[in-house]
Amino acid sequence: MIHITRRERFNAAHRLFRDDFTDEKNMEVFGKCSNPNWHGHNYELYVTVKGEINSETGFLVNLKTLSKVIQSKVIVKLDHKNINLEVDFMKGKLASTENLAVGIWKEIEESVKNIGTNLHCVKVIESENNYVEYFGPA
Amino acid sequence: MIHITRRERFNAAHRLFRDDFTDEKNMEVFGKCSNPNWHGHNYELYVTVKGEINSETGFLVNLKTLSKVIQSKVIVKLDHKNINLEVDFMKGKLASTENLAVGIWKEIEESVKNIGTNLHCVKVIESENNYVEYFGPA
Amino acid sequence: MIHITRRERFNAAHRLFRDDFTDEKNMEVFGKCSNPNWHGHNYELYVTVKGEINSETGFLVNLKTLSKVIQSKVIVKLDHKNINLEVDFMKGKLASTENLAVGIWKEIEESVKNIGTNLHCVKVIESENNYVEYFGPA
Amino acid sequence: MIHITRRERFNAAHRLFRDDFTDEKNMEVFGKCSNPNWHGHNYELYVTVKGEINSETGFLVNLKTLSKVIQSKVIVKLDHKNINLEVDFMKGKLASTENLAVGIWKEIEESVKNIGTNLHCVKVIESENNYVEYFGPA
Amino acid sequence: MIHITRRERFNAAHRLFRDDFTDEKNMEVFGKCSNPNWHGHNYELYVTVKGEINSETGFLVNLKTLSKVIQSKVIVKLDHKNINLEVDFMKGKLASTENLAVGIWKEIEESVKNIGTNLHCVKVIESENNYVEYFGPA
Amino acid sequence: MIHITRRERFNAAHRLFRDDFTDEKNMEVFGKCSNPNWHGHNYELYVTVKGEINSETGFLVNLKTLSKVIQSKVIVKLDHKNINLEVDFMKGKLASTENLAVGIWKEIEESVKNIGTNLHCVKVIESENNYVEYFGPA
């Protein structure tokens, strides 16, 4: 069993808040991350897939193919976007890094299978001090 | 002559655009950076000061004091904010990294002098591929 | 199941040695790390917790709360300290990165539970070439 | 159970291609990585071992000893070499990062056992966007 | 005066040697870098330009335009190539990082002027321990 | 004119304090950095030299030779040492990063000349947030 990981990046705006919370409650729960005028991050996305090495190519999967899946399925939707307002798979969800990692997993899972490998981990780095890893549904 | 540098960080949203450009013109000049719904970055700010070493302390300047100046003068205004909408010293300016570096210089220059040292460079890193350095007015 | 990781940092002095070893034996086993006058490191600590996403907040755990636990339970004891002489939970133990990781785990485990999540990994980076990960007792 | 990781580095040339493919087929499968005149990388190798802490030393394993194993068994063969032409354990194999990770595992596995610990993971970073992890045969 | 820097990357093979040196002399002067079977690096290239901010755009120069210049003038010639055998502007020169930095300067200088700005520095990072900066002819 | 930079590293303990200050005064001026039981850092040292490229070798200076100078003149004295107690060129000086940079300059300046090049800058990184650069006496 071998794991291979591809990094992609996106810059996006977001805000942590709930419509059914008052401004005070939002500030209490989410702090400055709930600023109504948005803030943003340089997100780093690491997608890890696992499987057996293809003896014909020496590859687990061609990384250019994997990169294209990630680009076309999620980066194009996230890069230079507002996560709360513009990202279809985040509609109706809190724009937390946790939900983002789960959302990205669902968006790419099938396409990753279609290129002959298995999704193992979606890691989203929000800042040099914080990151989330999602290993899929139980 | 010795130089000492302090790094601080801020996460902010911004948008590159001109009111007097059409949407098409904004897209042509600024590309996806002109998305009306904003995007954002993890900015890194490096402030370099220069001068002589104080023989009593071995310091050019106490970095805690320098850090407080940077925090109170600019980070508090920028962190988790929208650069276009909420940052007083960027009002009426294009929210480019270049203008941000110049704006930060002006905001901290006098306070840096007041703690007994001289501002040498304001460096703003917008992403791992892009950064700006401003060395002050000619 | 989702994992979230918070990084904190501390700078500390330490020395690797045993009282019951001669100086020669200490030098043989621990090399220059047994210098009686101490040396030190910029340690990086990554704490990973795991659990389910809270649907109300979109968080596994509020990272500010997790950060406060790590700061108050271990960073305050380690930062700018001598690990051999001043850190209560390292008393009587060899000040290796391995023992440090295990010690940190024990110090924060209960508090991490009290904020509603589960400790998964304590990772301590001693230098760009060396790090230790502890996943808890068997 | 504790894990400890040692990083070593090597700079090498390689080429991805198959003798039994035409040039066109090689270019189609491997892209610019099949350039007949070679290209190269600054590879980073992370070797993770696992086991119990030795109560006499506070170490899982002495990292200097582990470093010597990695240096003598693989770095000396890889550093400033051509992976396709000069590395005995890669003879007859496609010089992919996947095969490199598996090859390094086989080269060091026994020596790691001989210094009293167990190999857990061989991670090879080829670029800031790509890396492979191998956890051993099933 | 403001400086702006764009990073681009390339992976290449090279060898340090002189035709008019014996193998022994090459080994003595260039060490393992003179391996006849080549070795390689992940090079990082930082191009810094300087000038005044354009008040219409807030830019010193549009970084996408600068990136295209660097890509089309040098990266396309260097990436996944053999610096000794395939790079026209390095023909007949020792493939040192110093000569590479000077060569890149000459390749891009005029194009940088044509996009309305001035080349200030070409920095080439060969490894995490070594880099070269060229500020142009005296 | 070309600049070339070599990085070396050292781990050391130190303490900021003055004998003629009371403990309270030391704490007031130097904060936790004055802890009598020491603390420490992973220091990074960047030495930049400048000059003309040697047309015979393509080098400004052989980096292995430069590395040996830095290792033998300063790293051997600093690595795994106590800067206050054990480093001859820091005796009687406050162990600040500023004084360290100046001290390193003086230790290596002549040897750098003897290998046929000129010292341009000594940069000492104390932490990811702080660094000092010294460009020599006026």
Side-chain angles (χ1 to χ4, degrees), chain E residues 18 96 98 129-131 133, chain F residues 3 5-7 56 58 60:
Chain E
R18 290 177 63 101
S96 67
E98 288 92 328
N129 294 325
N130 304 334
Y131 65 82
E133 290 161 299
Chain F
H3 291 197
T5 299
R6 174 73 188 174
R7 184 184 74 132
E56 190 182 349
L60 173 57

Side-chain angles (χ1 to χ4, degrees), chain E residues 78-96:
Chain E
L78 289 162
D79 190 35
H80 285 75
K81 299 293 184 188
N82 185 307
I83 296 174
N84 299 71
L85 301 180
E86 299 179 291
V87 180
D88 60 358
F89 66 83
M90 293 299 288
K91 280 279 160 63
K93 292 183 199 158
L94 276 149
S96 67

Side-chain angles (χ1 to χ4, degrees), chain D residues 15-19 21 26 30 33-34 38 84 93-95:
Chain D
R15 180 194 171 193
L16 295 177
F17 78 110
R18 291 177 62 103
D19 270 337
F21 278 5
N26 272 318
F30 301 109
C33 297
S34 71
W38 320 99
N84 298 72
K93 292 182 199 160
L94 277 148

Side-chain angles (χ1 to χ4, degrees), chain A:
Chain A
M1 182 73 75
I2 204 151
H3 292 195
I4 196 161
T5 300
R6 174 73 189 174
R7 183 185 74 131
E8 303 288 343
R9 297 176 298 122
F10 58 97
N11 306 322
H14 81 142
R15 180 195 170 193
L16 295 178
F17 77 109
R18 292 177 62 102
D19 269 338
D20 56 343
F21 278 6
T22 60
D23 284 359
E24 289 71 26
K25 178 78 175 169
N26 273 317
M27 195 57 68
E28 186 195 318
V29 174
F30 301 110
K32 57 189 177 180
C33 297
S34 71
N35 177 11
N37 288 313
W38 320 99
H39 68 283
H41 298 286
N42 300 338
Y43 290 93
E44 288 183 85
L45 168 61
Y46 286 81
V47 173
T48 303
V49 298
K50 62 185 171 189
E52 302 299 327
I53 300 176
N54 177 326
S55 62
E56 190 181 351
T57 60
F59 288 162
L60 173 56
V61 65
N62 191 319
L63 279 176
K64 260 184 219 122
T65 315
L66 179 58
S67 175
K68 268 181 208 158
V69 164
I70 306 170
Q71 285 285 341
S72 65
K73 289 291 169 184
V74 291
I75 300 298
V76 77
K77 293 179 177 180
L78 289 162
D79 191 34
H80 284 76
K81 300 292 185 190
N82 185 306
I83 296 174
N84 299 72
L85 302 180
E86 299 179 290
V87 180
D88 60 357
F89 65 83
M90 293 299 287
K91 280 279 161 63
K93 292 183 199 160
L94 276 148
S96 67
T97 318
E98 288 91 328
N99 281 338
L100 198 50
V102 174
I104 290 169
W105 176 287
K106 289 179 184 165
E107 287 299 300
I108 63 174
E109 187 179 18
E110 193 178 314
S111 299
V112 165
K113 239 177 224 147
N114 290 343
I115 60 170
T117 188
N118 303 290
L119 195 51
H120 174 67
C121 181
V122 167
K123 178 179 178 177
V124 180
I125 302 182
E126 193 190 63
S127 79
E128 66 186 38
N129 294 325
N130 304 333
Y131 65 82
V132 161
E133 291 161 298
Y134 182 58
F135 296 90

Side-chain angles (χ1 to χ4, degrees), chain B residues 117-131:
Chain B
T117 189
N118 303 289
L119 195 51
H120 173 68
C121 182
V122 166
K123 179 179 178 178
V124 180
I125 302 181
E126 195 190 63
S127 79
E128 67 185 39
N129 293 326
N130 303 334
Y131 66 81

Side-chain angles (χ1 to χ4, degrees), chain C residues 18 96 98 129-131 133, chain D residues 3 5-7 56 58 60:
Chain C
R18 291 177 61 103
S96 67
E98 288 92 329
N129 293 326
N130 303 333
Y131 64 81
E133 292 161 298
Chain D
H3 291 197
T5 299
R6 175 73 188 174
R7 183 185 74 132
E56 190 182 350
L60 173 56

Side-chain angles (χ1 to χ4, degrees), chain B residues 64, chain C residues 9-13 41 75-83 86, chain F residues 14 30-41 126:
Chain B
K64 259 181 221 127
Chain C
R9 298 176 297 122
F10 58 97
N11 306 322
H41 298 285
I75 299 299
V76 76
K77 292 180 177 179
L78 289 162
D79 190 34
H80 285 74
K81 300 292 185 191
N82 185 306
I83 296 174
E86 298 179 290
Chain F
H14 81 141
F30 301 110
K32 57 188 178 182
C33 297
S34 71
N35 177 10
N37 288 313
W38 320 100
H39 68 283
H41 298 286
E126 193 190 64

